[in-house]
């Protein structure tokens, strides 16, 4: 290099002007003309090879397509997990090959472009190696920038889709949680993940984990059967049976068999194997949703059966009461006629006394009502009880009060079957009940084939203070005095009446408050003046086809006494002791009348024990 440099300098000294010109020409040639010749040659090469490219358009298009697939796959792998890519691959595997026409068209159009992927120089990476992406793309910086922008947009879109998917899953989970919270825990049994004691993460964790394993095992069992994985199917079935035997009826970890951890570990291994072979997000989600819907249906069915059995138990007379009634009936009809009469019969129509009408077919229940009223009365001689029962219990009712006279109160027992005036020509309800269609609707319930199907009609088939002050209550010209039972949105008229019927919609307010039909005080003078009996019969005739209301005695009562009922203070009548376990004791202690309405009657085994003492106390008097 030193020798060449010296020669160049000596030459410039001999002919300075001519040497500089030659140098400039050489520089221009190498800097301008050589690249130009190179690119022209490249262009000629591309032009000369265009014919071959057109002939091999399909092949080059396929190569470019494969290159694009590889490039897209690299970006997809950087975004999604392996499980998601497997799901996408399995979901698109059945779509078949791409359309050949579109591939050929794309290849032909790209063959005419000036840009090419052959023999382009690519920038080196940090360690001097050529970048794979740049060597494959061979694009100009502008194209590379546009490609990077598109890639960023794709990544942003992929992230957005994943976020939307997570939000959709979260909404499904929240909806499932809300539905599960509405399920009655008593029906589901002891195990429920929504119970308060389940808030502790360490509370019965083994039991809960094994139950969750069984749920997922049943999901994979269905998928294995669908995909003909019979070996895995048999293994899942075996593990499910083992877990069922270990769990049995256990509700706590302390109740589990000692082999539970071993079985739980074996189930976990099978589930891991099943996940590797069978996991499909769409199939798993669909199966879990189907299982949830099935569970909801089972819960509703069990609740209907529970309601039916509770009502059946409430209507069934216990053996002790049944035998008592038969013994009393026999003793009554063995008495001479003169001993069957009650004393003080002259008080039966005395308007200056306090008269009670009591309708019952239960001797003990009637006895408690009468005894509680007399025990709390200041002067028992002023109270007259008119007991109305049926022919079957008429003798027992008489005999009980003959043996247990309520101090100085007057007792009168009547048989409803002997009310000659109470016939079908007088009362529309009796006329309707004589029809075959009404008997079918009320009593047979369309021949139900299951316990739950007839539960809705079953219930229709079948005091602690001195009450003297009730007669001094000012009803303000109304016929009926009763305690209202409506809250913010329940026990209002729209709950009992059909407001889609114009007769109902035109005459009544759907938000009018309902009232308790268990204890009422009536002004009989205003009753006759308002012709309440005629109003009652009129509405009963209009409801011949049950278009105004369906079942029960309360709806026609609400209609008849609409705007004619005076609300009494709630302390006169406390309800719900036969179904509501949350009644405060202070309300019961300050009440004039306590009402065991509901299925859990105090003389039954299913009664709520916290309220039974009030009934037992009066019964033993």
């Amino acid at each position: 290099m030193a020798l060449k440099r010296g020669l160049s300098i000596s030459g410039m000294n001999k002919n300075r002007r001519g040497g500089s010109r030659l140098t400039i020409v050489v520089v221009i040639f190498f800097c301008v003309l050589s690249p130009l010749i190179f690119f022209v040659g490249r262009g000629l090469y591309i032009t000369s090879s265009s014919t071959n490219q057109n002939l091999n358009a399909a092949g080059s298009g396929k190569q470019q397509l494969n290159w694009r697939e590889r490039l897209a796959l690299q970006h997809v792998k950087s975004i999604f997990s392996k499980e998601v890519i497997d799901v996408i691959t399995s979901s698109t595997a059945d779509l078949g090959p791409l359309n050949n026409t579109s591939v050929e068209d794309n290849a032909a159009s790209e063959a005419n472009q000036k840009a090419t992927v052959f023999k382009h120089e690519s920038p080196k990476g940090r360690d001097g190696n050529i970048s794979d992406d740049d060597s494959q793309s061979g694009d100009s910086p502008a194209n590379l920038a546009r490609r990077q922008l598109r890639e960023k947009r794709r990544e942003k879109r992929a992230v957005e889709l994943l976020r939307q998917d997570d939000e959709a899953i979260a909404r499904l989970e929240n909806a499932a949680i809300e539905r599960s919270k509405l399920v009655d825990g008593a029906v589901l049994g002891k195990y429920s993940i929504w119970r308060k004691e389940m808030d502790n993460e360490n509370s019965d964790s083994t039991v809960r984990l094994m139950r969750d394993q069984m749920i997922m095992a049943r999901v994979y069992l269905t998928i294995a059967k669908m995909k003909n994985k019979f070996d895995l199917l048999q293994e899942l079935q075996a593990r499910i049976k083992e877990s069922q035997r270990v769990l049995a009826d256990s509700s706590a970890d302390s109740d589990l068999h000692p082999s539970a951890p071993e079985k739980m570990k074996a189930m976990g291994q099978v589930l891991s194997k099943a996940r590797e072979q069978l996991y499909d997000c769409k199939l798993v989600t669909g199966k879990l949703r189907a299982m949830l819907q099935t569970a909801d249906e089972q819960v509703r069915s069990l609740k209907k059966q529970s309601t039916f059995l509770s009502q059946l138990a409430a209507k069934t007379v216990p053996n002790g009461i049944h035998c008592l009634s038969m013994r009393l009936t026999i003793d009554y009809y063995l008495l001479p006629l003169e001993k069957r009469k009650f004393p003080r019969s002259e008080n039966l129509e005395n308007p200056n006394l306090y008269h009670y009408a009591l309708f019952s077919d239960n001797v003990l229940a009637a006895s408690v009502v009468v005894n509680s009223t007399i025990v709390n009365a200041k002067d028992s001689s002023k109270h007259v009880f008119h007991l109305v029962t049926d022919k079957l219990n008429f003798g027992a009712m008489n005999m009980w009060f003959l043996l247990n006279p309520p101090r100085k109160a007057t007792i009168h027992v009547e048989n409803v079957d002997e009310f000659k005036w109470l016939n079908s020509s007088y009362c529309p309800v009796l006329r309707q009940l004589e029809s075959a269609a009404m008997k079918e609707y009320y009593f047979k319930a369309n021949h139900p084939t299951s316990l739950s199907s007839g539960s809705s009609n079953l219930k229709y088939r079948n005091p602690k203070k001195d009450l003297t002050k009730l007669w001094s209550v000012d009803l303000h010209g109304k016929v009926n005095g009763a305690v209202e039972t409506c809250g913010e949105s329940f026990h209002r008229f729209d709950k009992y009446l059909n407001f889609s019927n114009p007769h109902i919609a035109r005459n009544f307010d759907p938000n009018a408050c309902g009232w308790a039909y268990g204890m009422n005080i009536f002004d009989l003078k205003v009753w006759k003046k308002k012709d309440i009996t005629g109003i009652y019969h009129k509405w009963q005739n209009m409801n011949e086809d049950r278009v105004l209301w369906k079942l029960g005695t309360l709806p026609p009562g609400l209609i008849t006494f609409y705007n004619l009922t005076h609300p009494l203070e709630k302390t006169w009548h406390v309800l719900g002791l036969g179904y509501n376990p949350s009644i405060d004791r202070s309300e019961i202690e300050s009440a004039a009348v306590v009402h065991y309405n509901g299925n859990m009657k105090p003389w039954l085994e299913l009664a709520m024990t916290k309220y039974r003492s009030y009934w037992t106390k009066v019964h033993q008097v």
Side-chain angles (χ1 to χ4, degrees):
M1 291 297 292
L3 180 59
K4 289 182 179 179
R5 185 174 300 174
L7 290 174
S8 299
I9 294 174
S10 62
M12 289 176 63
N13 291 330
K14 289 182 178 179
N15 192 358
R16 183 179 300 273
R17 183 175 298 175
S20 61
R21 290 178 180 177
L22 179 60
T23 303
I24 293 172
V25 171
V26 173
V27 171
I28 293 174
F29 175 79
F30 283 102
C31 294
V32 178
L33 296 181
S34 295
L36 181 61
I37 293 172
F38 174 77
F39 283 109
V40 169
R42 288 286 297 158
L44 293 176
Y45 172 76
I46 294 173
T47 304
S48 63
S49 61
S50 61
T51 305
N52 295 329
Q53 290 180 354
N54 290 331
L55 293 176
N56 299 322
S60 63
K62 186 174 182 180
Q63 291 176 357
Q64 294 179 17
L65 181 62
N66 293 335
W67 164 74
R68 292 179 184 277
E69 289 179 353
R70 290 196 301 273
L71 182 60
L73 185 59
Q74 290 176 1
H75 293 294
V76 169
K77 287 182 177 180
S78 65
I79 297 174
F80 299 103
S81 63
K82 181 179 180 300
E83 290 79 2
V84 177
I85 295 175
D86 293 340
V87 172
I88 296 174
T89 304
S90 61
S91 301
T92 59
D94 298 333
L95 296 178
L98 296 175
N99 189 289
N100 293 330
T101 304
S102 62
V103 174
E104 293 174 358
D105 294 340
N106 294 334
S109 62
E110 292 177 0
N112 296 324
Q113 295 178 357
K114 293 182 179 180
T116 181
V117 297
F118 298 114
K119 298 182 181 179
H120 273 264
E121 295 181 358
S122 301
K124 295 183 179 180
R126 293 181 181 178
D127 54 357
N129 295 327
I130 298 176
S131 173
D132 292 338
D133 293 341
D134 294 340
S135 63
Q136 291 177 356
S137 64
D139 287 340
S140 64
N143 292 338
L144 183 60
R146 284 194 294 270
R147 181 179 293 107
Q148 291 176 351
L149 181 59
R150 286 196 298 268
E151 291 172 0
K152 290 181 180 179
R153 289 175 180 173
R154 293 192 191 101
E155 292 178 0
K156 184 178 180 181
R157 178 59 177 166
V159 172
E160 180 66 20
L161 291 175
L162 289 175
R163 185 186 64 80
Q164 294 177 0
D165 185 56
D166 292 340
E167 291 178 355
I169 293 174
R171 286 195 298 269
L172 289 174
E173 290 177 351
N174 292 334
I177 290 172
E178 293 301 324
R179 288 196 300 269
S180 301
K181 287 180 179 179
L182 297 177
V183 174
D184 186 1
V187 177
L188 290 177
K190 295 181 179 180
Y191 174 75
S192 173
I193 61 175
W194 312 117
R195 292 188 305 172
K196 290 183 178 180
E197 53 265 35
M198 293 299 175
D199 292 343
N200 184 1
E201 295 181 356
N202 298 322
S203 176
D204 303 331
S205 57
T206 304
V207 171
R208 292 188 289 122
L209 179 57
M210 293 188 70
R211 293 185 184 276
D212 293 340
Q213 283 183 332
M214 291 178 64
I215 292 174
M216 291 306 303
R218 292 190 178 97
V219 172
Y220 286 125
L221 188 70
T222 304
I223 301 176
K225 186 182 299 183
M226 184 188 308
K227 295 188 175 183
N228 297 326
K229 300 286 186 179
F230 297 109
D231 293 340
L232 190 57
L233 176 67
Q234 294 177 358
E235 193 171 358
L236 285 168
Q237 289 176 338
R239 292 291 176 261
I240 291 175
K241 290 181 180 179
E242 289 179 355
S243 297
Q244 287 176 337
R245 285 194 294 267
V246 171
L247 279 174
D249 296 328
S250 302
S251 59
D253 289 354
S254 57
D255 301 333
L256 290 174
H257 192 270
S259 63
E262 180 183 351
K263 302 302 181 184
M264 184 174 61
K265 182 179 179 181
M267 175 65 85
Q269 294 173 351
V270 176
L271 290 176
S272 299
K273 182 178 178 181
R275 178 180 175 82
E276 294 176 358
Q277 299 183 19
L278 303 175
Y279 184 80
D280 186 318
C281 183
K282 184 176 181 180
L283 290 177
V284 171
T285 302
K287 180 59 181 175
L288 288 173
R289 186 180 294 111
M291 292 174 65
L292 179 62
Q293 292 175 352
T294 302
D296 288 342
E297 292 296 331
Q298 291 176 350
V299 168
R300 280 193 287 268
S301 177
L302 290 173
K303 289 180 71 174
K304 287 183 178 180
Q305 293 183 12
S306 175
T307 301
F308 177 86
L309 293 175
S310 298
Q311 293 175 356
L312 182 63
K315 299 300 179 182
T316 303
V317 179
N319 290 334
I321 299 178
H322 183 63
C323 296
L324 173 64
S325 180
M326 288 193 296
R327 291 198 304 268
L328 290 173
T329 300
I330 294 172
D331 292 342
Y332 176 75
Y333 287 107
L334 291 177
L335 286 176
L337 294 177
E338 61 273 12
K339 292 186 178 182
R340 297 182 186 178
K341 297 180 179 180
F342 288 99
R344 295 179 289 277
S345 58
E346 66 278 4
N347 294 334
L348 295 180
E349 297 183 5
N350 187 346
N352 297 320
L353 301 180
Y354 308 117
H355 294 261
Y356 302 88
L358 179 61
F359 299 81
S360 176
D361 58 356
N362 189 307
V363 174
L364 290 183
S367 172
V368 169
V369 172
V370 173
N371 284 344
S372 62
T373 305
I374 296 304
V375 166
N376 293 281
K378 293 181 179 179
D379 186 357
S380 61
S381 63
K382 294 184 177 181
H383 297 268
V384 181
F385 294 91
H386 304 268
L387 303 176
V388 182
T389 187
D390 55 9
K391 179 170 57 178
L392 181 64
N393 295 279
F394 177 74
M397 196 74 71
N398 276 279
M399 193 64 194
W400 175 269
F401 286 103
L402 286 172
L403 295 175
N404 303 280
R407 297 185 182 178
K408 298 180 180 180
T410 301
I411 296 293
H412 179 218
V413 180
E414 294 207 58
N415 181 3
V416 70
D417 297 315
E418 295 180 356
F419 289 174
K420 302 303 181 182
W421 53 270
L422 190 60
N423 49 49
S424 58
S425 60
Y426 170 77
C427 183
V429 176
L430 294 179
R431 185 186 70 253
Q432 294 169 11
L433 288 176
E434 289 178 356
S435 66
M438 189 64 72
K439 289 180 181 179
E440 178 76 16
Y441 183 78
Y442 270 84
F443 301 106
K444 296 184 180 180
N446 296 323
H447 301 288
T449 56
S450 64
L451 284 177
S452 60
S453 58
S455 61
S456 60
N457 291 347
L458 179 64
K459 65 180 180 180
Y460 299 110
R461 298 200 290 256
N462 312 289
K464 299 186 63 179
K465 287 185 177 179
D466 185 6
L467 301 181
T468 303
K469 292 184 179 180
L470 271 176
W471 273 259
S472 61
V473 173
D474 186 2
L475 296 181
H476 300 282
K478 302 296 180 65
V479 183
N480 176 27
V483 173
E484 293 181 337
T485 58
C486 62
E488 293 182 358
S489 61
F490 58 94
H491 285 188
R492 297 187 180 272
F493 272 46
D494 59 352
K495 182 181 188 313
Y496 303 100
L497 305 177
N498 178 21
F499 274 87
S500 63
N501 186 282
H503 294 291
I504 297 296
R506 185 169 54 249
N507 291 283
F508 304 100
D509 179 8
N511 292 319
C513 190
W515 38 267
Y517 215 179
M519 189 209 75
N520 307 81
I521 179 172
F522 297 108
D523 187 329
L524 297 183
K525 292 182 178 180
V526 183
W527 180 301
K528 295 177 181 179
K529 181 180 179 181
K530 299 287 186 180
D531 189 20
I532 296 299
T533 303
I535 296 174
Y536 185 84
H537 289 173
K538 169 193 170 184
W539 286 106
Q540 288 286 1
N541 284 324
M542 293 175 63
N543 196 45
E544 184 85 28
D545 298 326
R546 301 180 304 278
V547 296
L548 306 183
W549 68 87
K550 292 298 181 183
L551 297 171
T553 57
L554 180 57
L558 296 177
I559 288 178
T560 302
F561 295 102
Y562 180 67
N563 288 333
L564 295 175
T565 300
H566 173 71
L568 300 177
E569 294 182 5
K570 292 187 180 297
T571 54
W572 279 114
H573 187 192
V574 172
L575 304 91
L577 277 71
Y579 70 89
N580 185 3
S582 61
I583 300 176
D584 192 87
R585 289 188 178 272
S586 61
E587 296 183 35
I588 300 175
E589 296 295 336
S590 61
V593 173
V594 292
H595 190 176
Y596 287 87
N597 58 317
N599 293 326
M600 301 179 184
K601 302 300 184 184
W603 57 85
L604 300 175
E605 292 297 329
L606 52 79
M608 286 180 283
T609 56
K610 62 184 296 185
Y611 302 141
R612 182 179 283 168
S613 59
Y614 300 108
W615 182 82
T616 304
K617 177 181 178 180
V618 181
H619 172 59
Q620 293 174 347
V621 173

